[in-house]
Amino acid sequence: MGRHSQIRGGRDDRLSKLDDGVLGNILSFLPTKEAMRATALSTRWRDVFTSVHTVSLEQSEGTVSLANGVNDVLLARYRHGRATVPIRSLRVAFRYYSDGMNDLDSMIDRWISYAIQQSGPELHLDLRLRADEICGRGYSLRSAAEENQPGVQDDERASSRRSACSSDDENREVESLLHALEGIALDAISDDEVETTPPPKRPWLRQQKDKLYTVPRSVFSCAALRTLFLGCCKLDPPAGGTNLPSLKALVLTHVADSARKIQRLISSCPFLADLTLEACARVRELSVLDKRLRRLTLRCCHRLASVIIDASELRALEYRGDVPAQPSFLTMHHGPRSLLSCRVDLCGGELTSEEDLTHLDEFLHHFGPTEHLHLTSARLGSGIDNDAFATRFPTFLKLRHLELTGSLPHDDDTHGNAVVAAVARILGHAPNLEVLTLFFKAPPREKPERYGIYKEEEFLDTHHLKYDCDTIVLQTPPADLLPPCLREINLVNYQGGSAQRKLAKFLLGNVARLEALYCGFAEGPLWIQNKLMDEMRGWAMDKIEPNDMMFM
Protein backbone atom coordinates (compact mmCIF):
# COMPACT_ATOMS: atom_id res chain seq x y z
CA MET A 1 0.00 0.00 0.00
CA GLY A 2 2.82 2.35 0.87
CA ARG A 3 4.62 1.64 -2.42
CA HIS A 4 1.50 2.50 -4.48
CA SER A 5 1.00 5.70 -2.54
CA GLN A 6 4.59 6.71 -3.32
CA ILE A 7 4.01 6.16 -7.02
CA ARG A 8 0.81 8.22 -6.93
CA GLY A 9 2.64 10.93 -5.06
CA GLY A 10 5.31 11.13 -7.75
CA ARG A 11 8.23 10.28 -5.39
CA ASP A 12 9.23 7.11 -7.32
CA ASP A 13 9.95 8.16 -10.93
CA ARG A 14 11.70 5.15 -12.41
CA LEU A 15 11.83 6.65 -15.92
CA SER A 16 13.85 9.62 -14.71
CA LYS A 17 16.38 7.27 -13.14
CA LEU A 18 17.53 6.15 -16.58
CA ASP A 19 20.70 7.77 -17.88
CA ASP A 20 20.64 10.56 -20.46
CA GLY A 21 21.66 8.30 -23.33
CA VAL A 22 18.70 5.98 -22.85
CA LEU A 23 16.24 8.86 -22.41
CA GLY A 24 17.64 10.62 -25.47
CA ASN A 25 17.24 7.48 -27.55
CA ILE A 26 13.60 7.18 -26.41
CA LEU A 27 12.85 10.83 -27.27
CA SER A 28 14.46 10.39 -30.69
CA PHE A 29 11.47 8.28 -31.76
CA LEU A 30 9.08 11.18 -31.05
CA PRO A 31 8.49 14.21 -33.28
CA THR A 32 11.06 16.81 -32.35
CA LYS A 33 8.48 19.26 -31.02
CA GLU A 34 7.09 16.61 -28.68
CA ALA A 35 10.60 15.64 -27.59
CA MET A 36 11.38 19.26 -26.67
CA ARG A 37 8.14 19.53 -24.70
CA ALA A 38 9.18 16.46 -22.72
CA THR A 39 12.30 18.27 -21.52
CA ALA A 40 10.06 20.67 -19.58
CA LEU A 41 8.74 17.90 -17.33
CA SER A 42 11.31 18.55 -14.60
CA THR A 43 14.82 19.83 -13.99
CA ARG A 44 16.04 16.25 -14.45
CA TRP A 45 14.82 16.30 -18.06
CA ARG A 46 16.08 19.80 -18.86
CA ASP A 47 19.31 18.69 -20.56
CA VAL A 48 18.11 15.37 -21.95
CA PHE A 49 17.56 16.86 -25.39
CA THR A 50 21.33 17.12 -25.88
CA SER A 51 21.26 13.30 -26.09
CA VAL A 52 18.59 13.17 -28.82
CA HIS A 53 20.13 11.92 -32.07
CA THR A 54 17.21 12.65 -34.45
CA VAL A 55 15.89 16.03 -35.62
CA SER A 56 12.61 15.76 -37.52
CA LEU A 57 10.43 18.78 -38.28
CA GLU A 58 7.61 19.22 -40.78
CA GLN A 59 6.13 22.54 -41.81
CA SER A 60 2.68 23.17 -40.38
CA GLU A 61 2.68 26.98 -40.47
CA GLY A 62 4.85 29.49 -42.31
CA THR A 63 8.38 28.98 -43.59
CA VAL A 64 9.76 31.41 -41.02
CA SER A 65 8.28 29.38 -38.17
CA LEU A 66 9.80 26.15 -39.46
CA ALA A 67 13.22 27.72 -40.04
CA ASN A 68 13.25 29.24 -36.54
CA GLY A 69 12.13 25.91 -35.11
CA VAL A 70 15.02 24.04 -36.73
CA ASN A 71 17.48 26.66 -35.49
CA ASP A 72 16.12 26.39 -31.95
CA VAL A 73 16.36 22.61 -32.01
CA LEU A 74 19.95 22.58 -33.22
CA LEU A 75 20.95 25.23 -30.69
CA ALA A 76 19.28 23.25 -27.91
CA ARG A 77 21.75 20.45 -28.54
CA TYR A 78 24.52 22.88 -27.59
CA ARG A 79 23.08 24.21 -24.38
CA HIS A 80 26.27 23.23 -22.53
CA GLY A 81 28.63 24.00 -25.38
CA ARG A 82 28.46 20.66 -27.16
CA ALA A 83 26.03 17.80 -27.83
CA THR A 84 26.59 14.59 -25.91
CA VAL A 85 25.68 12.24 -28.81
CA PRO A 86 26.28 12.47 -32.57
CA ILE A 87 23.37 13.40 -34.80
CA ARG A 88 21.98 10.40 -36.63
CA SER A 89 19.09 11.79 -38.68
CA LEU A 90 18.06 15.21 -39.99
CA ARG A 91 14.64 15.49 -41.62
CA VAL A 92 13.15 18.84 -42.65
CA ALA A 93 9.97 18.80 -44.76
CA PHE A 94 8.69 22.07 -46.24
CA ARG A 95 5.21 22.44 -47.61
CA TYR A 96 5.83 25.90 -49.09
CA TYR A 97 9.52 26.52 -49.61
CA SER A 98 9.30 30.02 -51.13
CA ASP A 99 7.89 32.25 -48.43
CA GLY A 100 9.82 35.50 -48.64
CA MET A 101 13.01 34.42 -46.79
CA ASN A 102 16.02 35.60 -48.75
CA ASP A 103 18.58 33.74 -46.62
CA LEU A 104 16.73 30.43 -46.49
CA ASP A 105 19.17 28.69 -48.85
CA SER A 106 22.19 29.62 -46.75
CA MET A 107 20.32 28.60 -43.59
CA ILE A 108 19.66 25.11 -44.98
CA ASP A 109 23.33 24.92 -45.98
CA ARG A 110 24.26 25.52 -42.35
CA TRP A 111 21.84 22.83 -41.16
CA ILE A 112 23.38 20.32 -43.53
CA SER A 113 26.90 21.36 -42.58
CA TYR A 114 26.04 20.93 -38.90
CA ALA A 115 24.57 17.46 -39.50
CA ILE A 116 27.62 16.32 -41.45
CA GLN A 117 30.11 17.67 -38.92
CA GLN A 118 28.25 16.24 -35.92
CA SER A 119 27.33 12.91 -37.48
CA GLY A 120 28.45 9.58 -36.12
CA PRO A 121 29.03 6.32 -37.98
CA GLU A 122 25.82 6.82 -39.98
CA LEU A 123 23.74 9.78 -41.13
CA HIS A 124 20.25 9.91 -42.65
CA LEU A 125 19.40 13.12 -44.50
CA ASP A 126 15.88 13.97 -45.70
CA LEU A 127 15.14 17.31 -47.39
CA ARG A 128 11.65 17.59 -48.89
CA LEU A 129 11.39 21.18 -50.04
CA ARG A 130 7.84 21.16 -51.37
CA ALA A 131 4.65 19.16 -50.82
CA ASP A 132 3.62 19.03 -54.49
CA GLU A 133 1.98 15.87 -55.70
CA ILE A 134 4.19 13.51 -57.66
CA CYS A 135 2.08 13.69 -60.81
CA GLY A 136 -1.01 15.62 -61.85
CA ARG A 137 -2.37 12.74 -63.86
CA GLY A 138 -5.65 11.22 -62.81
CA TYR A 139 -7.61 8.16 -63.90
CA SER A 140 -10.33 8.42 -66.53
CA LEU A 141 -12.67 5.95 -68.20
CA ARG A 142 -13.95 5.95 -71.75
CA SER A 143 -17.24 7.70 -72.27
CA ALA A 144 -20.12 6.11 -74.14
CA ALA A 145 -19.54 8.49 -77.05
CA GLU A 146 -15.93 7.34 -77.45
CA GLU A 147 -16.96 3.68 -77.40
CA ASN A 148 -19.47 4.25 -80.20
CA GLN A 149 -17.00 5.98 -82.52
CA PRO A 150 -15.26 3.27 -84.53
CA GLY A 151 -13.36 5.88 -86.52
CA VAL A 152 -11.27 6.94 -83.55
CA GLN A 153 -7.79 5.55 -84.03
CA ASP A 154 -5.77 3.89 -81.31
CA ASP A 155 -3.03 6.50 -81.44
CA GLU A 156 -5.59 9.28 -80.94
CA ARG A 157 -6.96 7.47 -77.88
CA ALA A 158 -3.46 7.01 -76.53
CA SER A 159 -2.74 10.69 -77.09
CA SER A 160 -5.96 11.60 -75.29
CA ARG A 161 -4.98 9.30 -72.42
CA ARG A 162 -1.58 10.95 -72.03
CA SER A 163 -2.99 14.47 -72.22
CA ALA A 164 -4.45 14.10 -68.74
CA CYS A 165 -0.98 14.53 -67.26
CA SER A 166 0.21 18.04 -66.49
CA SER A 167 3.48 16.89 -64.95
CA ASP A 168 5.37 16.85 -68.26
CA ASP A 169 4.44 20.44 -69.04
CA GLU A 170 5.48 21.54 -65.57
CA ASN A 171 8.80 19.74 -65.80
CA ARG A 172 9.51 21.12 -69.26
CA GLU A 173 8.99 24.61 -67.87
CA VAL A 174 11.42 23.88 -65.05
CA GLU A 175 13.98 22.90 -67.67
CA SER A 176 13.41 26.08 -69.69
CA LEU A 177 13.75 28.20 -66.55
CA LEU A 178 17.01 26.51 -65.64
CA HIS A 179 18.27 26.93 -69.18
CA ALA A 180 17.42 30.62 -69.23
CA LEU A 181 18.65 31.48 -65.73
CA GLU A 182 21.79 29.42 -65.41
CA GLY A 183 22.67 28.25 -68.89
CA ILE A 184 22.37 24.58 -68.11
CA ALA A 185 22.56 22.61 -71.35
CA LEU A 186 19.71 20.25 -71.95
CA ASP A 187 22.09 17.40 -72.67
CA ALA A 188 19.40 14.74 -72.29
CA ILE A 189 16.96 16.32 -74.75
CA SER A 190 17.44 16.70 -78.47
CA ASP A 191 16.55 19.93 -80.25
CA ASP A 192 13.52 18.46 -81.96
CA GLU A 193 12.03 17.45 -78.58
CA VAL A 194 12.05 20.93 -77.06
CA GLU A 195 8.71 22.63 -77.56
CA THR A 196 8.78 25.89 -79.48
CA THR A 197 5.59 27.14 -77.84
CA PRO A 198 6.02 27.56 -74.09
CA PRO A 199 3.49 25.62 -72.03
CA PRO A 200 1.04 27.42 -69.78
CA LYS A 201 2.44 28.80 -66.54
CA ARG A 202 1.88 26.90 -63.33
CA PRO A 203 1.58 28.74 -60.00
CA TRP A 204 4.17 26.64 -58.20
CA LEU A 205 6.66 27.20 -61.03
CA ARG A 206 6.41 30.96 -60.61
CA GLN A 207 7.39 30.43 -57.00
CA GLN A 208 10.11 27.94 -57.87
CA LYS A 209 11.73 30.31 -60.36
CA ASP A 210 13.62 32.18 -57.65
CA LYS A 211 13.65 29.43 -55.02
CA LEU A 212 15.13 26.29 -56.49
CA TYR A 213 17.50 25.08 -53.79
CA THR A 214 20.90 23.69 -54.79
CA VAL A 215 22.21 20.86 -52.64
CA PRO A 216 25.72 21.73 -51.39
CA ARG A 217 28.69 19.73 -52.63
CA SER A 218 29.60 18.54 -49.14
CA VAL A 219 26.64 16.16 -49.24
CA PHE A 220 28.14 14.23 -52.14
CA SER A 221 31.34 13.42 -50.27
CA CYS A 222 29.89 12.45 -46.90
CA ALA A 223 31.24 9.02 -45.98
CA ALA A 224 28.70 8.55 -43.18
CA LEU A 225 25.60 9.15 -45.32
CA ARG A 226 23.34 6.07 -45.38
CA THR A 227 20.04 7.42 -46.78
CA LEU A 228 19.45 10.55 -48.87
CA PHE A 229 16.00 11.97 -49.69
CA LEU A 230 15.90 15.06 -51.94
CA GLY A 231 12.79 16.80 -53.25
CA CYS A 232 12.31 19.82 -55.55
CA CYS A 233 15.93 20.89 -55.79
CA LYS A 234 19.03 20.85 -57.97
CA LEU A 235 22.20 18.83 -57.64
CA ASP A 236 25.68 20.34 -57.58
CA PRO A 237 28.14 17.44 -57.37
CA PRO A 238 31.86 18.32 -57.31
CA ALA A 239 33.71 18.41 -60.60
CA GLY A 240 36.07 15.66 -59.43
CA GLY A 241 33.19 13.24 -58.92
CA THR A 242 31.05 12.16 -55.99
CA ASN A 243 31.92 9.60 -53.35
CA LEU A 244 29.18 8.11 -51.17
CA PRO A 245 30.66 4.80 -50.00
CA SER A 246 28.00 4.09 -47.35
CA LEU A 247 24.80 5.21 -49.11
CA LYS A 248 22.15 2.47 -49.12
CA ALA A 249 18.93 4.33 -50.09
CA LEU A 250 18.49 7.22 -52.54
CA VAL A 251 15.18 9.01 -53.24
CA LEU A 252 15.00 11.82 -55.82
CA THR A 253 11.68 13.65 -56.26
CA HIS A 254 11.17 16.51 -58.74
CA VAL A 255 14.92 16.90 -59.11
CA ALA A 256 15.27 19.42 -61.92
CA ASP A 257 18.68 18.38 -63.13
CA SER A 258 20.24 16.65 -66.11
CA ALA A 259 20.07 12.91 -66.55
CA ARG A 260 23.86 12.82 -66.68
CA LYS A 261 24.20 14.27 -63.17
CA ILE A 262 21.60 11.90 -61.75
CA GLN A 263 23.24 8.91 -63.41
CA ARG A 264 26.64 10.04 -62.09
CA LEU A 265 25.20 10.33 -58.58
CA ILE A 266 23.75 6.82 -58.74
CA SER A 267 27.01 5.41 -60.04
CA SER A 268 28.95 6.94 -57.13
CA CYS A 269 27.09 4.75 -54.58
CA PRO A 270 28.77 1.32 -54.67
CA PHE A 271 26.46 -0.22 -52.06
CA LEU A 272 23.17 1.33 -53.18
CA ALA A 273 20.31 -1.09 -52.51
CA ASP A 274 17.17 1.09 -52.66
CA LEU A 275 16.61 3.57 -55.52
CA THR A 276 13.54 5.77 -56.06
CA LEU A 277 13.03 8.27 -58.89
CA GLU A 278 9.83 10.35 -58.84
CA ALA A 279 8.87 12.88 -61.52
CA CYS A 280 12.46 13.36 -62.70
CA ALA A 281 11.51 14.68 -66.12
CA ARG A 282 14.98 14.84 -67.66
CA VAL A 283 15.87 11.21 -67.05
CA ARG A 284 15.61 9.34 -70.35
CA GLU A 285 17.77 6.32 -69.59
CA LEU A 286 18.71 4.53 -66.38
CA SER A 287 21.46 1.95 -66.08
CA VAL A 288 22.32 0.25 -62.78
CA LEU A 289 24.52 -2.70 -63.67
CA ASP A 290 27.44 -2.04 -61.33
CA LYS A 291 25.40 -2.72 -58.17
CA ARG A 292 22.67 -5.09 -57.07
CA LEU A 293 19.50 -3.28 -56.12
CA ARG A 294 17.06 -4.84 -53.72
CA ARG A 295 14.31 -2.29 -54.38
CA LEU A 296 13.58 -0.07 -57.40
CA THR A 297 10.79 2.51 -57.59
CA LEU A 298 10.01 4.55 -60.72
CA ARG A 299 7.06 6.93 -60.43
CA CYS A 300 5.90 9.30 -63.16
CA CYS A 301 9.23 9.69 -64.94
CA HIS A 302 7.26 10.00 -68.17
CA ARG A 303 10.26 10.52 -70.44
CA LEU A 304 12.04 7.43 -69.22
CA ALA A 305 12.55 5.15 -72.22
CA SER A 306 15.09 2.56 -71.09
CA VAL A 307 15.85 0.89 -67.74
CA ILE A 308 18.68 -1.63 -67.41
CA ILE A 309 19.38 -3.17 -63.99
CA ASP A 310 21.08 -6.13 -62.36
CA ALA A 311 18.07 -7.94 -60.88
CA SER A 312 19.88 -10.84 -59.26
CA GLU A 313 18.97 -9.60 -55.75
CA LEU A 314 15.88 -7.53 -56.58
CA ARG A 315 13.10 -8.03 -54.01
CA ALA A 316 10.61 -5.25 -54.79
CA LEU A 317 9.79 -3.18 -57.88
CA GLU A 318 7.25 -0.38 -58.27
CA TYR A 319 6.33 1.37 -61.52
CA ARG A 320 3.86 4.20 -62.13
CA GLY A 321 3.27 5.73 -65.54
CA ASP A 322 2.17 4.82 -69.07
CA VAL A 323 2.33 1.30 -70.37
CA PRO A 324 5.87 1.07 -71.82
CA ALA A 325 5.61 1.24 -75.59
CA GLN A 326 8.71 -0.89 -76.23
CA PRO A 327 9.48 -4.40 -74.94
CA SER A 328 13.05 -3.22 -74.37
CA PHE A 329 11.93 -0.60 -71.84
CA LEU A 330 12.95 -2.83 -68.93
CA THR A 331 15.96 -5.12 -69.12
CA MET A 332 16.74 -7.16 -66.01
CA HIS A 333 20.04 -9.00 -66.18
CA HIS A 334 20.38 -12.26 -64.23
CA GLY A 335 16.60 -12.30 -63.85
CA PRO A 336 14.60 -11.56 -60.69
CA ARG A 337 15.37 -14.75 -58.81
CA SER A 338 13.26 -14.01 -55.73
CA LEU A 339 10.97 -11.07 -56.49
CA LEU A 340 8.70 -10.69 -53.49
CA SER A 341 6.59 -7.66 -54.42
CA CYS A 342 5.67 -5.82 -57.61
CA ARG A 343 3.40 -2.78 -58.05
CA VAL A 344 2.29 -1.58 -61.49
CA ASP A 345 0.23 1.63 -61.53
CA LEU A 346 -1.07 2.62 -64.98
CA CYS A 347 -2.00 6.25 -64.43
CA GLY A 348 -4.03 8.18 -66.96
CA GLY A 349 -6.88 6.95 -69.10
CA GLU A 350 -8.34 3.52 -69.63
CA LEU A 351 -6.51 0.98 -71.75
CA THR A 352 -8.55 0.59 -74.92
CA SER A 353 -6.41 -0.41 -77.87
CA GLU A 354 -5.00 -3.83 -78.69
CA GLU A 355 -1.58 -2.19 -78.89
CA ASP A 356 -1.81 -1.00 -75.28
CA LEU A 357 -2.94 -4.42 -74.06
CA THR A 358 -0.14 -6.11 -75.99
CA HIS A 359 2.42 -3.79 -74.40
CA LEU A 360 0.91 -4.49 -70.97
CA ASP A 361 1.25 -8.24 -71.51
CA GLU A 362 4.88 -7.78 -72.55
CA PHE A 363 5.60 -5.61 -69.52
CA LEU A 364 3.98 -7.99 -67.03
CA HIS A 365 6.07 -10.88 -68.33
CA HIS A 366 9.02 -9.40 -66.43
CA PHE A 367 7.28 -10.06 -63.12
CA GLY A 368 6.35 -13.71 -63.51
CA PRO A 369 8.41 -14.81 -60.45
CA THR A 370 6.74 -12.32 -58.06
CA GLU A 371 4.83 -13.46 -54.99
CA HIS A 372 2.77 -10.27 -54.47
CA LEU A 373 1.40 -8.32 -57.45
CA HIS A 374 -0.54 -5.06 -57.16
CA LEU A 375 -2.06 -3.81 -60.44
CA THR A 376 -3.71 -0.37 -60.52
CA SER A 377 -5.52 1.03 -63.56
CA ALA A 378 -8.40 3.29 -64.50
CA ARG A 379 -10.78 0.35 -64.87
CA LEU A 380 -10.41 -2.63 -62.58
CA GLY A 381 -8.84 -5.50 -64.49
CA SER A 382 -7.26 -3.19 -67.11
CA GLY A 383 -9.60 -4.49 -69.80
CA ILE A 384 -7.83 -7.84 -70.10
CA ASP A 385 -10.88 -9.67 -71.41
CA ASN A 386 -9.84 -10.32 -74.99
CA ASP A 387 -9.38 -13.95 -76.02
CA ALA A 388 -6.56 -12.89 -78.31
CA PHE A 389 -4.33 -12.29 -75.29
CA ALA A 390 -5.14 -15.56 -73.51
CA THR A 391 -2.08 -17.36 -74.85
CA ARG A 392 0.28 -14.39 -74.40
CA PHE A 393 -0.73 -13.34 -70.89
CA PRO A 394 2.02 -14.29 -68.39
CA THR A 395 1.62 -17.11 -65.90
CA PHE A 396 2.43 -16.26 -62.29
CA LEU A 397 3.36 -19.61 -60.77
CA LYS A 398 4.71 -18.11 -57.52
CA LEU A 399 1.98 -15.52 -57.02
CA ARG A 400 0.36 -15.79 -53.58
CA HIS A 401 -1.31 -12.38 -53.13
CA LEU A 402 -2.96 -10.39 -55.92
CA GLU A 403 -4.32 -6.84 -55.51
CA LEU A 404 -6.40 -5.18 -58.24
CA THR A 405 -7.32 -1.50 -57.94
CA GLY A 406 -9.59 0.38 -60.31
CA SER A 407 -12.98 1.89 -60.96
CA LEU A 408 -16.15 -0.06 -61.62
CA PRO A 409 -19.02 2.46 -61.91
CA HIS A 410 -22.63 1.74 -60.95
CA ASP A 411 -23.99 2.16 -64.46
CA ASP A 412 -21.28 -0.03 -66.01
CA ASP A 413 -23.69 -2.79 -67.03
CA THR A 414 -22.08 -3.11 -70.45
CA HIS A 415 -18.68 -3.78 -68.90
CA GLY A 416 -19.79 -5.92 -65.96
CA ASN A 417 -19.36 -9.25 -67.74
CA ALA A 418 -16.17 -8.03 -69.41
CA VAL A 419 -14.61 -7.15 -66.05
CA VAL A 420 -15.59 -10.55 -64.66
CA ALA A 421 -13.91 -12.16 -67.66
CA ALA A 422 -10.80 -10.02 -67.21
CA VAL A 423 -10.47 -10.88 -63.52
CA ALA A 424 -11.09 -14.57 -64.29
CA ARG A 425 -8.39 -14.50 -66.95
CA ILE A 426 -5.87 -13.02 -64.51
CA LEU A 427 -6.80 -15.53 -61.82
CA GLY A 428 -6.55 -18.35 -64.32
CA HIS A 429 -2.87 -17.50 -64.78
CA ALA A 430 -2.16 -17.60 -61.04
CA PRO A 431 -2.78 -21.25 -60.09
CA ASN A 432 -1.24 -20.93 -56.60
CA LEU A 433 -3.01 -17.73 -55.55
CA GLU A 434 -4.08 -17.65 -51.90
CA VAL A 435 -5.24 -14.06 -51.25
CA LEU A 436 -7.24 -11.79 -53.59
CA THR A 437 -7.82 -8.11 -52.77
CA LEU A 438 -10.06 -5.85 -54.89
CA PHE A 439 -10.09 -2.12 -54.19
CA PHE A 440 -12.94 -0.30 -55.95
CA LYS A 441 -12.19 3.36 -56.58
CA ALA A 442 -15.06 5.68 -55.77
CA PRO A 443 -16.52 7.68 -58.68
CA PRO A 444 -15.86 11.43 -58.52
CA ARG A 445 -18.43 13.41 -56.60
CA GLU A 446 -20.64 15.69 -58.61
CA LYS A 447 -19.92 19.38 -58.25
CA PRO A 448 -22.51 21.26 -56.21
CA GLU A 449 -24.90 23.34 -58.22
CA ARG A 450 -25.05 26.03 -55.60
CA TYR A 451 -23.04 27.36 -52.72
CA GLY A 452 -24.13 28.05 -49.18
CA ILE A 453 -25.42 26.05 -46.23
CA TYR A 454 -26.50 22.48 -46.96
CA LYS A 455 -28.79 20.33 -44.91
CA GLU A 456 -27.59 17.01 -43.55
CA GLU A 457 -29.87 14.98 -45.81
CA GLU A 458 -28.36 16.68 -48.86
CA PHE A 459 -24.94 15.35 -47.90
CA LEU A 460 -26.34 11.87 -47.27
CA ASP A 461 -27.77 11.81 -50.79
CA THR A 462 -24.25 12.13 -52.26
CA HIS A 463 -23.06 8.72 -51.00
CA HIS A 464 -21.66 6.08 -53.35
CA LEU A 465 -23.65 3.05 -52.17
CA LYS A 466 -26.29 1.55 -54.39
CA TYR A 467 -28.54 -1.49 -54.16
CA ASP A 468 -30.91 -2.94 -56.75
CA CYS A 469 -33.09 -5.93 -56.01
CA ASP A 470 -32.66 -7.14 -59.59
CA THR A 471 -31.22 -10.63 -59.98
CA ILE A 472 -27.60 -10.66 -61.08
CA VAL A 473 -27.13 -12.78 -64.22
CA LEU A 474 -23.73 -13.49 -65.74
CA GLN A 475 -24.39 -13.50 -69.48
CA THR A 476 -21.01 -14.99 -70.37
CA PRO A 477 -19.70 -16.81 -67.31
CA PRO A 478 -15.95 -17.40 -67.63
CA ALA A 479 -14.80 -20.94 -68.28
CA ASP A 480 -11.73 -20.57 -66.06
CA LEU A 481 -12.25 -21.63 -62.48
CA LEU A 482 -10.73 -19.79 -59.55
CA PRO A 483 -7.38 -21.03 -58.22
CA PRO A 484 -7.90 -24.02 -55.93
CA CYS A 485 -5.58 -22.51 -53.28
CA LEU A 486 -7.64 -19.31 -52.95
CA ARG A 487 -8.58 -18.99 -49.28
CA GLU A 488 -9.10 -15.28 -48.64
CA ILE A 489 -11.03 -12.56 -50.52
CA ASN A 490 -10.96 -8.88 -49.55
CA LEU A 491 -13.37 -6.36 -51.11
CA VAL A 492 -12.42 -2.79 -50.20
CA ASN A 493 -14.69 0.24 -50.73
CA TYR A 494 -17.46 -1.99 -52.09
CA GLN A 495 -20.27 0.21 -53.46
CA GLY A 496 -22.82 -2.32 -54.68
CA GLY A 497 -23.25 -1.34 -58.32
CA SER A 498 -24.40 -4.01 -60.76
CA ALA A 499 -20.89 -4.58 -62.15
CA GLN A 500 -19.39 -4.95 -58.68
CA ARG A 501 -22.19 -7.32 -57.63
CA LYS A 502 -21.57 -9.46 -60.71
CA LEU A 503 -17.91 -9.71 -59.83
CA ALA A 504 -18.60 -10.52 -56.17
CA LYS A 505 -21.16 -13.17 -57.13
CA PHE A 506 -18.74 -14.79 -59.56
CA LEU A 507 -15.96 -14.95 -56.97
CA LEU A 508 -18.08 -16.25 -54.12
CA GLY A 509 -19.96 -18.69 -56.34
CA ASN A 510 -16.91 -20.32 -57.91
CA VAL A 511 -14.38 -20.43 -55.09
CA ALA A 512 -13.90 -23.90 -53.67
CA ARG A 513 -13.53 -22.98 -50.02
CA LEU A 514 -12.90 -19.74 -48.13
CA GLU A 515 -11.17 -19.25 -44.81
CA ALA A 516 -11.74 -15.49 -44.62
CA LEU A 517 -13.99 -12.93 -46.33
CA TYR A 518 -13.63 -9.22 -45.68
CA CYS A 519 -15.88 -6.56 -47.18
CA GLY A 520 -15.44 -2.87 -46.46
CA PHE A 521 -18.40 -0.80 -47.67
CA ALA A 522 -18.22 2.70 -49.07
CA GLU A 523 -19.79 5.51 -47.09
CA GLY A 524 -23.57 5.43 -47.18
CA PRO A 525 -26.81 4.58 -45.34
CA LEU A 526 -26.82 1.60 -43.01
CA TRP A 527 -29.89 -0.01 -44.60
CA ILE A 528 -28.07 -0.33 -47.96
CA GLN A 529 -25.06 -1.84 -46.25
CA ASN A 530 -27.32 -4.38 -44.56
CA LYS A 531 -28.94 -5.32 -47.89
CA LEU A 532 -25.56 -5.82 -49.55
CA MET A 533 -24.32 -7.75 -46.53
CA ASP A 534 -27.26 -10.16 -46.59
CA GLU A 535 -26.86 -10.68 -50.33
CA MET A 536 -23.17 -11.50 -49.97
CA ARG A 537 -23.87 -13.93 -47.12
CA GLY A 538 -26.28 -15.78 -49.40
CA TRP A 539 -23.67 -16.12 -52.16
CA ALA A 540 -21.03 -17.42 -49.75
CA MET A 541 -23.32 -19.50 -47.52
CA ASP A 542 -21.75 -22.89 -48.31
CA LYS A 543 -18.22 -21.56 -48.89
CA ILE A 544 -17.27 -20.12 -45.52
CA GLU A 545 -18.29 -20.20 -41.88
CA PRO A 546 -20.33 -17.15 -40.74
CA ASN A 547 -17.75 -16.32 -38.07
CA ASP A 548 -15.08 -15.96 -40.77
CA MET A 549 -16.97 -13.14 -42.54
CA MET A 550 -16.17 -9.54 -41.62
CA PHE A 551 -18.19 -6.55 -42.85
CA MET A 552 -17.33 -2.92 -42.13
Side-chain angles (χ1 to χ4, degrees), residues 285-328:
E285 297 180 355
L286 177 65
S287 178
V288 190
L289 291 174
D290 55 344
K291 50 188 64 66
R292 297 178 178 179
L293 295 177
R294 296 179 63 86
R295 181 181 181 87
L296 175 63
T297 302
L298 303 171
R299 297 193 188 104
C300 300
C301 298
H302 296 298
R303 290 188 174 186
L304 190 60
S306 175
V307 179
I308 304 174
I309 62 172
D310 183 342
S312 57
E313 296 185 7
L314 192 66
R315 298 294 182 269
L317 188 145
E318 180 176 350
Y319 172 83
R320 187 180 194 272
D322 286 321
V323 178
Q326 299 296 331
S328 59

Side-chain angles (χ1 to χ4, degrees), residues 142-155:
R142 285 183 299 171
S143 64
E146 292 176 335
E147 295 175 4
N148 296 328
Q149 289 180 359
V152 179
Q153 300 298 322
D154 292 340
D155 56 348

Side-chain angles (χ1 to χ4, degrees), residues 370-384:
T370 187
E371 297 182 13
H372 183 179
L373 175 63
H374 188 171
L375 179 61
T376 300
S377 56
R379 188 183 299 278
L380 191 139
S382 301
I384 306 173

Side-chain angles (χ1 to χ4, degrees), residues 393 396 399 402 404 420-433 435-438 480-484 486 489 503 506-507:
F393 196 78
F396 300 94
L399 191 63
L402 174 63
L404 299 177
V420 172
V423 173
R425 186 174 305 287
I426 297 175
L427 297 180
H429 287 76
N432 298 310
L433 188 68
V435 181
L436 174 63
T437 300
L438 303 179
D480 298 329
L481 296 178
L482 299 186
L486 186 60
I489 295 178
L503 183 55
F506 161 73
L507 294 173

